[in-house]
Amino acid sequence: SQQGEEDPQALSIQEGENATMNCSYKTSINNLQWYRQNSGRGLVHLILIRSNEREKHSGRLRVTLDTSKKSSSLLITASRAADTASYFCATDARSGGGADGLTFGKGTHLIIQP
Amino acid sequence: DVKVTQSSRYLVKRTGEKVFLECVQDMDHENMFWYRQDPGLGLRLIYFSYDVKMKEKGDIPEGYSVSREKKERFSLILESASTNQTSMYLCASSPFWGRDGYTFGSGTRLTVV
């Protein structure tokens, strides 16, 4: 079942601007992850934030997590044409090992205009 | 470089055919997953496995089965392909205690005619 919902569905900005995408989810989580997908390809893992973390950085990426609001945001700073892709949030409700499968949102399609 | 390899990028099959989608990972991961991705519906989990010969149903297992005879290989089987199974199929893997995200294959775009 779909848990994460990204907002907006589509976003178009100029190169060099910052891009912000939001994700809301419904149930308690162990961690939340963001993935990128270039057109017609597989997903690439970008960053994982645990439920006890509030903010995490990786290069030009900044992720925040607000468990009280069940929401997360992904900020891409100084965007580049190569950032054009779809971005998905995914929630992991596991508390232990093994697999339950991540639950993905429907994605935000980001277009960076040169 | 770690890899998840899906055997085909594009497949065209006829209705009623038995279809095998193969996925191999070289990272010694315990967990493996099959998702399908459709416009407007996002990624939906079909089946997953956390060990050899173990399998668990995901959200949409109907019409599919899986096989995991070796740790590195996870096969998705469409017993009798139907047009509503036309989709992008994505395989992924992660360690048992995976806390660093999934590694995905490049996907197989299956068309059933």
Side-chain angles (χ1 to χ4, degrees):
Chain A
S1 58
Q2 227 71 35
Q3 161 136 260
E5 290 288 340
E6 290 90 345
D7 171 57
Q9 290 186 348
L11 179 62
S12 180
I13 61 174
Q14 295 295 123
E15 194 167 19
E17 293 180 340
N18 296 341
T20 300
M21 289 159 271
N22 303 297
C23 170
S24 59
Y25 57 93
K26 297 175 184 175
T27 64
S28 296
I29 61 171
N30 181 271
N31 65 70
L32 185 143
Q33 304 175 29
W34 285 91
Y35 289 79
R36 184 187 75 230
Q37 184 181 35
N38 291 94
S39 180
R41 309 298 295 185
L43 278 72
V44 174
H45 180 255
L46 295 176
I47 196 165
L48 180 154
I49 186 165
R50 293 176 173 74
S51 60
N52 61 355
E53 297 176 309
R54 292 296 168 258
E55 188 170 313
K56 201 162 184 180
H57 296 255
S58 176
R60 294 184 297 113
L61 305 180
R62 172 178 169 252
V63 169
T64 62
L65 179 65
D66 186 335
T67 52
S68 67
K69 294 181 179 179
K70 292 186 169 57
S71 68
S72 174
S73 68
L74 171 67
L75 169 67
I76 303 174
T77 60
S79 63
R80 305 167 182 169
D83 294 329
T84 294
S86 292
Y87 291 82
F88 295 86
C89 69
T91 54
D92 183 355
R94 288 177 300 155
S95 57
D100 282 333
L102 295 177
T103 302
F104 286 82
K106 295 179 183 179
T108 291
H109 185 52
L110 175 65
I111 297 173
I112 308 298
Q113 307 277 6
Chain B
D1 200 15
V2 295
K3 278 188 180 164
V4 175
T5 303
Q6 295 184 231
S7 53
S8 304
R9 285 283 291 130
Y10 299 95
L11 273 180
V12 180
K13 296 292 182 180
R14 296 194 179 278
T15 301
E17 275 193 78
K18 190 169 187 176
V19 181
F20 293 85
L21 302 183
E22 305 287 348
C23 177
V24 177
Q25 50 98 2
D26 64 2
M27 297 164 283
D28 201 35
H29 284 170
E30 288 78 11
N31 302 333
M32 296 189 75
F33 309 86
W34 276 106
Y35 286 85
R36 65 177 282 179
Q37 182 178 25
D38 301 286
L41 296 177
L43 278 80
R44 293 178 291 168
L45 181 63
I46 305 172
Y47 266 98
F48 61 95
S49 168
Y50 55 88
D51 201 354
V52 176
K53 297 192 185 296
M54 303 302 291
K55 59 184 179 183
E56 297 286 344
K57 293 179 180 179
D59 297 319
I60 52 163
E62 296 78 18
Y64 303 94
S65 62
V66 290
S67 172
R68 190 146 181 222
E69 296 296 318
K70 294 184 177 181
K71 189 176 185 179
E72 67 271 19
R73 186 179 297 269
F74 192 36
S75 302
L76 180 69
I77 304 156
L78 286 66
E79 297 291 343
S80 178
S82 64
T83 55
N84 63 14
Q85 292 179 310
T86 291
S87 186
M88 169 71 99
Y89 290 87
L90 294 163
C91 176
S93 72
S94 75
F96 185 83
W97 294 99
R99 293 291 183 258
D100 295 318
Y102 290 6
T103 302
F104 277 85
S106 296
T108 295
R109 187 165 295 280
L110 172 67
T111 302
V112 182
V113 297

